[in-house]
Amino acid sequence: MDEELVSTDGFDFDASTAQAWKLFGERLAEVVSMIEDGASLRVDTVAPDTQTAPFVCFTCGQRASREEQPVVLVEASSNAVLGDGHQLTTAQLDQLEALGWQPPTTDQPHPTANFWAEEIQDDSDRLAELAVDTLRDVFGVQHPVFLVPDQLAEILAPSAAVREELDGSEARMESGPAEAHDFVAVTARDRDELHSLVRTELTHMFGHEPIVDDEGDFAIRVGSSMVFVRCAPDGREVLLFSALVHDLEGRGRAVEVLNDLNSESRFGRFSLYRDRVFVTMSLLTRPFVPAHLHEGVRIITQIADGIDDDLAAKLRGRVTFTEQD
């Protein structure tokens, strides 16, 4: 029987991350272009404490008349407002100025304790690009899923076309009582319909449309780990996977360690692709049941969080995200 297999072979973590930032920047530019006079949008980075962590904030100025071009002020947090545990280094401060940020000032028209820049609202692409470069390259956010969920949800709110698709998927899935939604089974006709069902469910689970790369893989954050969700070409399977270790040393040693893990693991399967170790879990989707996706995400996240540090140390590699990320 000729089956279309789904696997992590060929998955490019760096390319997927770059695509995620591209998508985030495009959606951010769209949101900034529609900020109303006097309104603000703040994008915070995730922090393990209650101190003020690095952020960028967009504010649309008040116009004197409809004919006047609206101006958007964007600010990047400086050490004057950041908590002691999040102070920027001299190198990071130099990076901000090199990107084009103006230093904090007491002068009019924009007295602020933060770094700042401004553009007319029509140039929101430029402001979004500046924000992405700052969040990623200066503040060290390795993937947009590691921004504060509330702001991420606002920026990634579904477009009208996607909203229509989500509504259609929701209608197909809610064929039973609302309280039993997670256990309603739906059979997708093909990969596109399965992809739509999965996107709908992930949107409900996390409160915003998930980030998706050019290959159609969804990227989600659960705790300190990242899980990718991939739909099979024939629509019969969903593969959950997480990159546990990168840049490992010694493939022979890695094969031995992973064989031992696979002999003990009930659900996740461990595999080696080039210099990365993945844990994967396959869910059958004929039919697709939301509860199975929920459980799969929970299980693979527990595995990733519980083993990545020890495995990286054993294989002399690095984990995807360290505590300071």
Side-chain angles (χ1 to χ4, degrees):
M1 181 173 60
D2 184 21
E3 296 182 343
E4 299 180 81
L5 301 178
V6 57
S7 72
T8 59
D9 289 355
F11 176 74
D12 189 327
F13 184 88
D14 297 328
S16 178
T17 300
Q19 291 163 6
W21 278 115
K22 180 175 180 292
L23 170 64
F24 175 82
E26 291 171 350
R27 298 301 295 272
L28 179 59
E30 183 180 353
V31 172
V32 172
S33 72
M34 296 184 293
I35 295 179
E36 297 180 351
D37 290 5
S40 296
L41 171 69
R42 177 162 156 163
V43 184
D44 289 282
T45 60
V46 172
D49 51 47
T50 58
Q51 297 181 4
T52 300
F55 64 85
V56 294
C57 182
F58 301 85
T59 303
C60 187
Q62 294 280 2
R63 290 180 292 174
S65 67
R66 287 184 173 272
E67 290 72 29
E68 184 180 356
Q69 280 275 16
V71 174
V72 175
L73 172 71
V74 59
E75 297 177 76
S77 53
S78 73
N79 284 338
V81 301
L82 292 174
D84 292 340
H86 302 285
Q87 292 286 294
L88 303 176
T89 66
T90 300
Q92 288 174 303
L93 295 173
D94 290 342
Q95 279 183 284
L96 288 173
E97 295 202 31
L99 285 174
W101 291 99
Q102 299 298 315
T105 179
T106 58
D107 297 336
Q108 295 293 338
H110 303 303
T112 175
N114 295 313
F115 289 84
W116 63 279
E118 66 176 357
E119 298 282 355
I120 60 173
Q121 196 167 26
D122 285 349
D123 289 336
S124 60
D125 288 349
R126 158 65 186 146
L127 294 179
E129 180 182 359
L130 179 61
V132 167
D133 290 345
T134 301
L135 291 166
R136 181 189 59 210
D137 301 332
V138 181
F139 295 159
V141 181
Q142 294 197 33
H143 195 286
V145 296
F146 284 87
L147 298 169
V148 171
D150 288 348
Q151 283 78 40
L152 190 63
E154 183 172 355
I155 295 167
L156 294 178
S159 62
V162 172
R163 183 70 259 170
E164 183 177 349
E165 178 183 333
L166 293 177
D167 289 343
S169 297
E170 186 173 9
R172 288 193 298 273
M173 294 175 69
E174 292 187 348
S175 56
E179 63 272 15
H181 163 78
D182 291 348
F183 301 95
V184 174
V186 179
T187 300
R189 290 166 294 192
D190 52 29
R191 191 261 186 190
D192 289 342
E193 188 168 358
L194 176 62
H195 194 269
S196 176
L197 291 168
V198 170
R199 174 158 56 183
T200 299
E201 194 55 37
L202 293 177
T203 300
H204 287 307
M205 288 172 65
F206 297 100
H208 59 82
E209 183 188 356
I211 293 173
V212 60
D213 63 24
D214 289 348
E215 300 299 320
D217 296 333
F218 298 106
I220 57 176
R221 170 184 172 237
V222 186
S224 61
S225 65
M226 276 189 66
V227 172
F228 293 89
V229 182
R230 172 176 292 179
C231 297
D234 60 7
R236 298 176 60 184
E237 177 188 5
V238 164
L239 186 72
L240 308 177
F241 61 97
S242 181
L244 303 180
V245 182
H246 306 254
D247 304 325
L248 61 85
E249 298 180 10
R251 291 177 58 88
R253 169 63 173 159
V255 170
E256 294 179 4
V257 171
L258 298 186
N259 282 341
D260 290 341
L261 286 174
N262 282 326
S263 67
E264 300 170 359
S265 177
R266 180 179 181 183
F267 295 110
R269 300 295 295 173
F270 298 87
S271 60
L272 177 65
Y273 182 75
R274 295 180 180 172
D275 63 350
R276 287 190 169 104
V277 171
F278 290 88
V279 59
T280 64
M281 183 177 180
S282 177
L283 305 176
L284 296 179
T285 55
R286 289 284 176 86
F288 171 75
V289 180
H292 293 170
L293 182 63
H294 296 185
E295 183 73 353
V297 169
R298 183 186 66 81
I299 290 172
I300 201 166
T301 299
Q302 288 180 340
I303 294 173
D305 280 344
I307 200 173
D308 57 348
D309 288 322
D310 290 341
L311 193 58
K314 184 175 292 187
L315 300 179
R316 297 181 181 179
R318 62 175 178 83
V319 295
T320 302
F321 301 105
T322 57
E323 288 297 325
Q324 61 268 28
D325 296 329

